Amino acid sequence: LARLLGRACLGMAGLSLHSDSRGVKVYSLTSARALPVWLSEGQKRKLRADDDFRRRVELLNDFEFPGASQRVKLSADGRYAVATGVYPPSVKIYELEELGLKVERRLDCEVVDFLLLSEDYSKIALLLADRTLAFHAAYGKHYELRIPKFGRCLDYQPTSCDLLLGAAGHEIYRINLEEGRFQEPLTVPFEGVNALQLSPAHQLIAAGGESAVHFIDPRSRTALGTLQLPGDAEVTCIRHNTDGLNFAVGAADGSVLLYDLRSRTPVHQRRHINELPIKAIDFLTEKKFLVSADAKSMKVWDYGKSTAAESDQLALHCTVEATADINDICVVRDQRRDSGLIFAAGEQPKVQSYFIPSLGPAPKWCSFLEGLTEELEEASADGAGKSGEVSVFDDYKFLTKQELQELNVESLMGTPLLRGYMHGYFMDSKLYNKLLQVSNPSALEDYRRQKLKQKIEEKRASRISIRKRLPKINTALAQRMLERDGDERFASLFTDERFQVDEESEEFRLRNPSGMARKRGRREMADDDSEDEALGIS
């Protein structure tokens, strides 16, 4: 039922088409109208009668948090999505096949990072901001412990059941989940481990920190070497490719570097134009795409087209501008392959969802996206669709500080009548109209008069215009139809000779006796006028 509702209503209330400068189509799946956060419970109850509000169905129902979302990940079996956010701190688990929320759990502190230890959601490790490591099972919180220093990242080594924790120090803490105790930590040559990942192909540990990536063999727990990045920027994220040879590094200065394990120099590199720290990075191996995100935008690089012989620069495929600061991204995958669906957690209540068909097809659990995007594209081509994202705050008027000064209501700043937002304030529309009428009594009346005139002109334009030249066929009938409202459906009456009306026939006279009487009256008046002219009577 949820899937059918999503297919029926998502295109009306939550799907919009964007195209970047390269013409790549990007569909935003969370572009439904935004509502003011200060609405009271009574005002929210009144919205139940609003058709647009009742039909607001998104890709995943309740895929949002009261304040902001921090992290989002998918389970290995592709059936569940797990997201964390504030405030209050909480973790939400979504069942993708049902397109809705399965369970929500409240936490004691904000989540720095988390990891799914099993194929589904039944085992989760949560690294909290107060040096707490919490373990959750399918039934809820199972156990929690404290770590020596503030943690920054997590990863798991399934062959030895070791949970690895990067923290604010020279150590990578190891917790053996089979024995339930700390192991001897691994050491790195720099202060603070910002990123940590094991290669899915050969289990090589890569730890990133102060402008360097340190590699450790998990079998012997010995260092294999340290890769120094060009420049002094810190490493913020690392991602291994599934081929076991390539890995990507994101830096604090916005640089994205693609390396081959057999070389110390980057094969390809590129820098985000915002020069902000890279938040997350991921591979789409099948089509050789690399996705990277900073706080302001998400970029897709085509490293398959970027060859070292031609240039060391990554080829840009498309750019997605974020509506709020991005904290994390997740490329959605299912049992079949990589898809073109990407989740983005950020500093806004909703977890953003983007569908880019050029990256891959829609996942199996939301395969209806393929049909919706085709319908929206056809509607846009016909001029019926609307591209762009619209955010509407019903019954509120946005005013800048200058406009408040013009209304002479600066004293309302800081009161509940004005809600601060970005570079201005929101005011109730009714209050705004009253203030506008007081400050300029004729302004509101002029506005209403202009709107009324505009509506009258629109109605006139919709009418059939009177033809100056009457048609040769059925001239009298055309004259009678023009005296009242005409209809374009009967246009063939005046162009097709088969519809010629013989007004001299006996059948016509019997069916239109009143018309024949008027015709005789007009003839008699015309004869009288001609006789008067002949006698010289004016």
Side-chain angles (χ1 to χ4, degrees):
L1 178 62
R3 191 173 297 139
L4 291 175
L5 286 173
R7 183 168 185 175
C9 304
L10 182 61
M12 295 184 290
L15 182 64
S16 65
L17 171 62
H18 307 263
S19 295
D20 74 341
S21 59
R22 286 171 168 74
V24 178
K25 292 181 174 60
V26 179
Y27 296 89
S28 175
L29 309 180
T30 47
S31 60
R33 295 189 305 167
L35 296 174
V37 296
W38 57 80
L39 285 180
S40 63
E41 292 298 326
Q43 291 173 319
K44 290 180 180 179
R45 283 194 295 269
K46 291 180 181 178
L47 289 175
R48 296 175 183 174
D50 186 78
D51 291 338
D52 292 337
F53 181 80
R54 287 189 291 107
R55 287 184 293 183
R56 290 198 319 162
V57 178
E58 299 178 355
L59 183 62
L60 289 178
N61 290 325
D62 200 25
F63 201 30
E64 59 183 12
F65 292 86
S69 52
Q70 298 169 316
R71 298 281 182 180
V72 57
K73 293 183 181 180
L74 254 69
S75 61
D77 59 7
R79 296 180 55 195
Y80 302 96
V82 183
T84 62
V86 292
Y87 188 85
S90 59
V91 55
K92 292 184 177 183
I93 301 171
Y94 300 86
E95 190 169 359
L96 299 180
E97 292 181 355
E98 299 297 330
L99 301 179
L101 179 66
K102 184 175 182 65
V103 64
E104 178 182 4
R105 298 169 184 166
R106 296 296 171 86
L107 306 172
D108 297 331
C109 188
E110 296 181 12
V111 176
V112 177
D113 197 6
F114 73 93
L115 197 64
L116 296 168
L117 303 176
S118 60
E119 293 288 323
D120 54 8
Y121 72 96
S122 58
K123 297 178 182 178
I124 305 176
L126 298 162
L127 180 61
L128 306 182
D130 61 351
R131 293 196 295 117
T132 299
L133 181 63
F135 295 93
H136 282 230
Y139 52 81
K141 185 170 70 172
H142 175 72
Y143 186 74
E144 65 179 17
L145 56 87
R146 301 272 287 179
I147 58 175
K149 296 182 180 179
F150 289 98
R152 298 182 181 180
C153 51
L154 279 175
D155 211 338
Y156 179 62
Q157 187 180 355
T159 55
S160 61
C161 297
D162 283 346
L163 183 64
L164 306 178
L165 293 92
H170 292 275
E171 298 85 9
I172 299 176
Y173 299 107
R174 295 190 303 136
I175 303 174
N176 190 276
L177 300 183
E178 184 179 12
E179 299 177 2
R181 63 186 181 90
F182 280 91
Q183 303 277 22
E184 182 182 355
L186 306 174
T187 58
V188 293
F190 42 77
E191 179 75 20
V193 179
N194 300 329
L196 186 66
Q197 204 207 11
L198 278 76
S199 171
H202 43 66
Q203 299 295 302
L204 184 66
I205 301 174
E210 295 178 356
S211 68
V213 179
H214 190 66
F215 294 96
I216 302 173
D217 186 352
R219 298 169 298 181
S220 60
R221 298 187 296 277
T222 57
L224 299 179
T226 302
L227 175 66
Q228 195 71 30
L229 269 64
D232 299 329
E234 287 192 2
V235 175
T236 56
C237 55
I238 301 173
R239 177 68 63 177
H240 282 283
N241 200 352
T242 53
D243 59 10
L245 291 178
N246 297 322
F247 69 96
V249 178
D253 62 351
S255 298
V256 179
L257 303 101
L258 182 63
Y259 281 92
D260 191 303
L261 278 174
R262 298 164 293 187
S263 175
R264 285 185 171 270
T265 59
V267 179
H268 305 296
Q269 60 182 344
R270 198 69 180 265
R271 179 175 294 184
H272 283 221
I273 193 171
N274 299 315
E275 296 187 357
L276 296 173
I278 302 298
K279 297 286 188 176
I281 197 166
D282 203 352
F283 281 95
L284 285 89
T285 308
E286 186 175 349
K287 292 191 175 182
K288 294 187 176 182
F289 285 120
L290 179 66
V291 184
S292 60
D294 60 15
K296 299 299 182 183
S297 64
M298 178 175 63
K299 295 183 181 292
V300 180
W301 313 97
D302 190 349
Y303 68 89
K305 290 184 179 180
S306 305
T307 59
E310 297 175 356
S311 173
D312 62 346
Q313 296 290 318
L314 279 168
L316 180 62
H317 179 68
C318 70
T319 301
V320 180
E321 296 294 335
T323 56
D325 288 356
I326 296 176
N327 292 327
D328 191 19
I329 63 170
C330 175
V331 178
V332 178
R333 297 176 174 88
D334 56 15
Q335 299 290 351
R336 301 177 299 174
R337 68 192 93 170
D338 295 334
S339 73
L341 182 63
I342 300 176
F343 294 149
E347 295 297 322
Q348 59 184 350
K350 293 183 180 180
V351 179
Q352 298 297 304
S353 304
Y354 300 99
F355 179 52
I356 308 175
S358 59
L359 302 186
K364 186 178 180 180
W365 53 271
C366 60
S367 56
F368 57 83
L369 281 179
E370 301 282 352
L372 285 177
T373 53
E374 291 178 4
E375 292 174 8
L376 181 61
E377 187 175 350
E378 291 174 1
S380 300
D382 295 338
K386 294 182 180 180
S387 61
E389 187 170 345
V390 182
S391 179
V392 179
F393 283 71
D394 293 336
D395 301 327
Y396 289 91
K397 174 71 175 178
F398 182 78
L399 300 172
T400 62
K401 191 172 182 179
Q402 182 179 357
E403 291 173 334
L404 290 176
Q405 292 175 353
E406 293 175 358
L407 294 174
N408 196 22
V409 290
E410 303 97 318
S411 58
L412 296 180
M413 289 189 295
T415 66
L417 298 176
L418 290 179
R419 306 282 183 170
Y421 185 79
M422 296 180 67
H423 61 285
Y425 302 87
F426 273 109
M427 177 186 289
D428 188 271
S429 297
K430 295 180 180 179
L431 177 60
Y432 170 75
N433 291 333
K434 291 180 181 179
L435 292 174
L436 184 63
Q437 191 171 7
V438 171
S439 61
N440 190 358
S442 62
L444 187 59
E445 190 63 30
D446 294 342
Y447 174 76
R448 290 176 177 174
R449 193 179 296 110
Q450 182 181 359
K451 280 292 183 181
L452 180 61
K453 183 179 179 182
Q454 182 179 356
K455 289 182 179 180
I456 293 174
E457 291 178 352
E458 290 176 356
K459 287 185 177 180
R460 287 176 178 173
S462 63
R463 296 177 181 173
I464 300 175
S465 59
I466 300 177
R467 300 179 181 178
K468 295 181 179 179
R469 297 182 61 183
L470 295 176
K472 295 181 180 180
I473 300 174
N474 295 331
T475 306
L477 179 61
Q479 180 66 37
R480 290 196 299 270
M481 292 186 67
L482 288 175
E483 292 175 358
R484 52 190 179 184
D485 292 338
D487 195 331
E488 288 294 334
R489 294 176 298 175
F490 304 109
S492 58
L493 283 173
F494 314 111
T495 57
D496 194 340
E497 294 182 356
R498 293 178 299 173
F499 296 105
Q500 175 68 47
V501 178
D502 186 6
E503 297 184 359
E504 302 298 331
S505 64
E506 187 66 20
E507 184 178 1
F508 181 81
R509 293 178 181 179
L510 293 175
R511 290 180 177 274
N512 299 276
S514 59
M516 296 303 298
R518 286 196 300 269
K519 188 175 181 180
R520 285 195 300 269
R522 286 195 297 268
R523 286 179 181 176
E524 291 174 359
M525 291 179 62
D527 293 339
D528 294 340
D529 291 341
S530 61
E531 290 178 2
D532 292 341
E533 289 177 2
L535 295 174
I537 300 174
S538 57

